[in-house]
Amino acid sequence: MTADKPLRADAQRNRDVLIAKAREVFDAGDFFDLRFDDFARLAGVGTGTLYRHFPTREALAEAVYHGEVAALCDRARRLQGALPAAEALATFLRGMVDHIAAHAGLARTLATLMADRSGARAEGGRALEQAVTDLLAAAVRDGTVRDDVDTGAVMMALHGISAAHDRPDWRAEADDVITLVLDGLRRRRDCSNPV
């Protein structure tokens, strides 16, 4: 596999504009109402520029998805560097609920456009799971979180929260699930051994 050649500054700007506009349109849920060529006009670039960077809607969706995952992983790293481990984990998980709530349209659009791109979704899922693993491991090392809970259980809770997004009291219930997860992760003092 060869490394992609770096883009010229103007080409990188055009690519960034396309991704930012796609994220905005995906989030609003309006992408399927647009012809792909019309999206280029909406983004302020020519159709040739659009197709040069993203030959299909799915390629554009994949770029948006990878950008979302990268931003979430970067947030996890920044929190880990700035806060005590248990607080970083809690802040990240509560932030995931905020992210899910704020970007429901984006999630639905990406799920539809990326239905046949399971490899890209799996890669993004692994990156996000690694970010949660790192946060969890740091909290285990500092003794604030149990060492017998697998990252998979935390990820399953996040997936469940996301999948239940259409429930009437979703936001309050999602916050409650995160509270349950964090409470369940908290290391308890052994009452039988008072040392």
Side-chain angles (χ1 to χ4, degrees):
M1 186 170 144
T2 60
D4 289 335
K5 186 173 140 181
L7 294 174
R8 293 184 335 255
D10 61 330
Q12 185 63 55
R13 269 191 308 276
N14 285 337
R15 179 178 169 75
D16 293 345
V17 163
L18 286 164
I19 291 171
K21 182 53 79 174
R23 186 178 186 279
E24 180 184 313
V25 172
F26 289 1
D27 218 5
D30 297 336
F31 192 68
F32 297 107
D33 297 334
L34 284 174
R35 289 182 334 122
F36 201 41
D37 290 357
D38 292 339
F39 174 74
R41 182 185 43 74
L42 187 64
V45 301
T47 55
T49 299
L50 170 64
Y51 284 101
R52 215 174 4 266
H53 289 286
F54 304 108
T56 64
R57 289 175 186 258
E58 293 77 16
L60 180 57
E62 190 171 328
V64 171
Y65 173 72
H66 284 300
E68 287 296 301
V69 169
L72 290 168
C73 291
D74 182 57
R75 182 168 192 272
R77 282 187 293 276
R78 284 185 285 113
L79 288 170
Q80 193 171 358
L83 298 173
E87 189 178 343
L89 177 63
T91 301
F92 182 77
L93 294 179
R94 292 197 186 284
M96 284 296 296
V97 173
D98 293 339
H99 184 82
I100 293 165
H103 302 294
L106 176 65
R108 280 192 292 275
T109 303
L110 288 175
T112 301
L113 286 170
M114 294 185 65
D116 295 331
R117 293 184 177 252
S118 60
R121 287 194 331 262
E123 179 185 330
R126 283 189 300 272
L128 193 53
E129 187 163 344
Q130 185 60 55
V132 173
T133 297
D134 294 346
L135 288 165
L136 194 55
V140 166
R141 280 192 304 275
D142 81 359
T144 55
V145 165
R146 296 167 38 181
D147 63 0
D148 62 340
V149 178
D150 187 87
T151 303
V154 177
M155 295 304 292
M156 187 174 284
L158 289 174
H159 287 296
I161 287 169
S162 182
H165 190 270
D166 293 332
R167 289 178 57 86
D169 294 325
W170 175 86
R171 183 54 199 248
E173 291 173 345
D175 289 335
D176 288 346
V177 170
I178 294 299
T179 298
L180 285 171
V181 168
L182 292 169
D183 190 48
L185 288 171
R186 191 172 302 118
R187 185 179 200 96
R188 307 275 190 246
R189 279 190 35 221
D190 184 356
C191 295
S192 64
N193 183 4
V195 178

